[in-house]
Amino acid sequence: ARSRTVGELLAPTSPFDKKCGRENWTVAFAPDGSYLAWSQGHRIVKLVPWAQCLNNFLLHGTKNGANAASTRLPRQNSESGQKNKPCEHIIDCGDIVWSLAFGSSVPEKQSRCVNIEWHRFKFGQDQLLLATGLNNGRIKIWDVYTGKLLLNLMDHTEVVRDLTFAPDGSLILVSASRDKTLRVWDLKDDGNMMKVLRGHQNWVYGCAFSPDSSILCSVGASKAVFLWDMDKYSMLRKLEGHHNDVVACEFSPDGALLATASYDTRVYVWDPHIGVILMEFGHLFPPPTPIFAGGANDRWVRSVSFSHDGLHIASLADDKMVRFWRIDEEYPVQVAPLNNGLCCTFSTDGSVLAAGQDGSVYFWATPRQVSSLQHLCRMAIRRVMPTSQVKNLPIPSKVVEFLCYQI
């Protein structure tokens, strides 16, 4: 089935605008769904109110020039005093932008959140931040509501390839870099760098927190997939199975599954708690043997994203296709065409997939299916229990099987 196009935001172009440097390596939605941010290429990040953006698609059709006069969004009015009213911003980061992440001082209370009671911090004031990872190794932190620069974090010596905030509202930020390290920053403590995580022997491409913020996954060159204990800042385990560089990763909303995308033309779905591959989504048929896995570079998978129903995964590959998969089916349930796609992510409510390419962003409606009773039960129990605890429950073995992902 072909996915329904929702809209597109096109970056402005000029005759002297070089194609090189206009890559959109990153697109992100705010945890509360209020904003969409993407890199327009070169040094520019665009921040737009997401609800208004969707309305524009409905009013003006799918095409929406990012700087078209007819669809210009209201800019911040400093006189108004309405700090939290979403307004459009254009941010010049001073260098090529490789990564973006929104961070909030309010725990993610949507489907990704577990239980609000255990959170370590309580804040009197809502904060919404945007972190940008740059080509020169710097990380700049911006106030989303005003577009002002708050912090300039300098410690990486190479490109900051990915950023992720802990979902618990603690404003802990983790950065992944080509300098082979991950760094942990505390933005509540003026951006103090708390820890350097070493273990990767080569470039680190991506990182992602589990929904309860206890585990960090990092992926990189040399087929590396690492899981880190974020209470002790120690390595939990290394997942082995990919045959080429692993470039993207994301946990399911209940934390029970982990999806990783690789240049070996595959997306793997793991049980991260026991290190087992549960599902393989291939982008080349027949799949390449390990020795040729690096050669099929017209099928390299660039990005992967988990939907918030925990049932669907989106992948973006170099074969000019976006695919939507169900976690329990071998073949895509929907596809969409996209040339030179580099990144993809689901909107906060899961209804739309955004994908970035050459400074522009394209949007598709995501598959809508009613979850089975088994899936709803699994999601409920797995939010609070890892695999080992579920298997030790004093309940009949058939019920244990029902509650485990054994795809």
Side-chain angles (χ1 to χ4, degrees):
R2 180 67 69 92
S3 295
R4 180 174 62 84
T5 302
V6 173
E8 55 192 49
L9 292 170
L10 305 177
T13 56
S14 52
F16 56 85
D17 196 6
K18 301 193 298 293
K19 190 81 168 171
C20 179
R22 272 192 59 212
E23 292 88 0
N24 173 4
W25 290 105
T26 178
V27 58
F29 288 92
D32 62 358
S34 59
Y35 276 93
L36 164 74
W38 79 98
S39 58
Q40 286 196 339
H42 303 300
R43 318 184 316 187
I44 303 301
V45 168
K46 188 81 176 274
L47 263 169
V48 296
W50 175 234
Q52 231 167 324
C53 191
L54 269 181
N55 285 339
N56 283 343
F57 291 148
L58 294 172
L59 291 171
H60 303 290
T62 61
K63 284 191 185 288
N64 189 350
N67 65 340
S70 62
T71 57
R72 186 174 289 282
L73 301 164
R75 292 196 173 279
Q76 179 78 20
N77 179 359
S78 55
E79 306 293 315
S80 69
Q82 291 178 299
K83 182 189 170 189
N84 293 5
K85 187 180 178 187
C87 295
E88 177 187 315
H89 300 293
I90 293 173
I91 297 173
D92 185 342
C93 295
D95 203 351
I96 293 171
V97 180
W98 282 86
S99 49
L100 289 175
F102 281 98
S104 174
S105 57
V106 178
E108 291 185 24
K109 298 182 177 68
Q110 283 85 12
S111 57
R112 286 173 168 261
C113 198
V114 186
N115 171 10
I116 308 305
E117 298 306 315
W118 54 264
H119 294 301
R120 293 170 289 176
F121 299 92
K122 297 221 183 299
F123 301 109
Q125 185 185 7
D126 293 359
Q127 268 187 302
L128 186 58
L129 307 177
L130 180 71
T132 54
L134 307 181
N135 196 62
N136 58 11
R138 295 190 178 191
I139 301 165
K140 292 187 175 179
I141 311 295
W142 310 84
D143 184 317
V144 170
Y145 301 127
T146 64
K148 289 180 179 170
L149 179 64
L150 300 177
L151 291 167
N152 194 351
L153 310 178
M154 296 176 283
D155 215 66
H156 282 297
T157 56
E158 290 274 352
V159 171
V160 179
R161 194 63 188 81
D162 200 15
L163 294 163
T164 183
F165 276 94
D168 61 4
S170 60
L171 291 184
I172 298 294
L173 173 70
V174 175
S175 53
S177 170
R178 285 185 183 171
D179 65 13
K180 307 177 188 176
T181 68
L182 297 135
R183 291 170 196 261
V184 185
W185 313 82
D186 185 356
L187 299 194
K188 297 304 287 181
D189 187 19
D190 296 326
N192 176 43
M193 195 190 71
M194 302 158 60
K195 203 75 183 172
V196 181
L197 303 179
R198 302 181 194 276
H200 286 268
Q201 302 300 309
N202 220 310
W203 290 2
V204 191
Y205 279 108
C207 53
F209 268 103
S210 63
D212 65 358
S213 305
S214 67
I215 298 173
L216 180 84
C217 175
S218 63
V219 297
S222 314
K223 314 171 196 173
V225 179
F226 289 105
L227 295 176
W228 306 85
D229 181 330
M230 292 309 284
D231 291 324
K232 300 173 184 171
Y233 301 112
S234 59
M235 195 189 300
L236 277 173
R237 63 176 56 87
K238 189 175 176 180
L239 304 179
E240 295 181 340
H242 278 297
H243 306 301
N244 201 345
D245 293 4
V246 192
V247 292
C249 59
E250 190 165 21
F251 283 90
S252 61
D254 59 4
L257 302 174
L258 172 70
T260 56
S262 169
Y263 288 165
D264 66 10
T265 75
R266 299 167 173 91
V267 167
Y268 284 152
V269 180
W270 309 76
D271 183 326
H273 303 284
I274 55 178
V276 171
I277 297 170
L278 298 176
M279 196 76 183
E280 176 183 322
F281 298 132
H283 294 66
L284 179 64
F285 298 97
T289 58
I291 198 163
F292 293 113
N297 60 358
D298 59 336
R299 297 288 195 282
W300 283 1
V301 190
R302 293 270 171 193
S303 185
V304 67
S305 185
F306 238 113
S307 74
H308 295 243
D309 62 5
L311 199 59
H312 293 94
I313 289 172
S315 68
L316 190 152
D318 282 350
D319 63 356
K320 304 177 182 176
M321 296 290 278
V322 177
R323 292 171 173 83
F324 294 91
W325 312 79
R326 268 180 63 113
I327 59 167
D328 53 1
E329 290 186 21
E330 201 174 336
Y331 299 102
V333 291
Q334 285 184 16
V335 295
L338 180 69
N339 285 341
N340 305 322
L342 294 171
C343 60
C344 66
T345 189
F346 282 97
S347 60
T348 307
D349 66 358
S351 63
V352 172
L353 182 81
Q357 163 251 35
D358 289 341
S360 301
V361 195
Y362 298 84
F363 303 91
W364 294 275
T366 59
R368 307 299 280 176
Q369 286 172 298
V370 177
S371 297
S372 66
L373 177 62
Q374 179 184 23
H375 184 68
L376 295 173
C377 290
R378 281 190 304 208
M379 291 267 289
I381 193 97
R382 297 311 301 272
R383 277 192 169 99
V384 293
M385 279 190 185
T387 309
S388 55
Q389 286 184 24
V390 173
K391 289 192 170 177
N392 289 330
L393 286 172
I395 54 178
S397 58
K398 280 288 179 193
V399 180
V400 170
E401 275 181 42
F402 185 79
L403 294 174
C404 285
Y405 288 98
Q406 295 168 327
I407 301 162

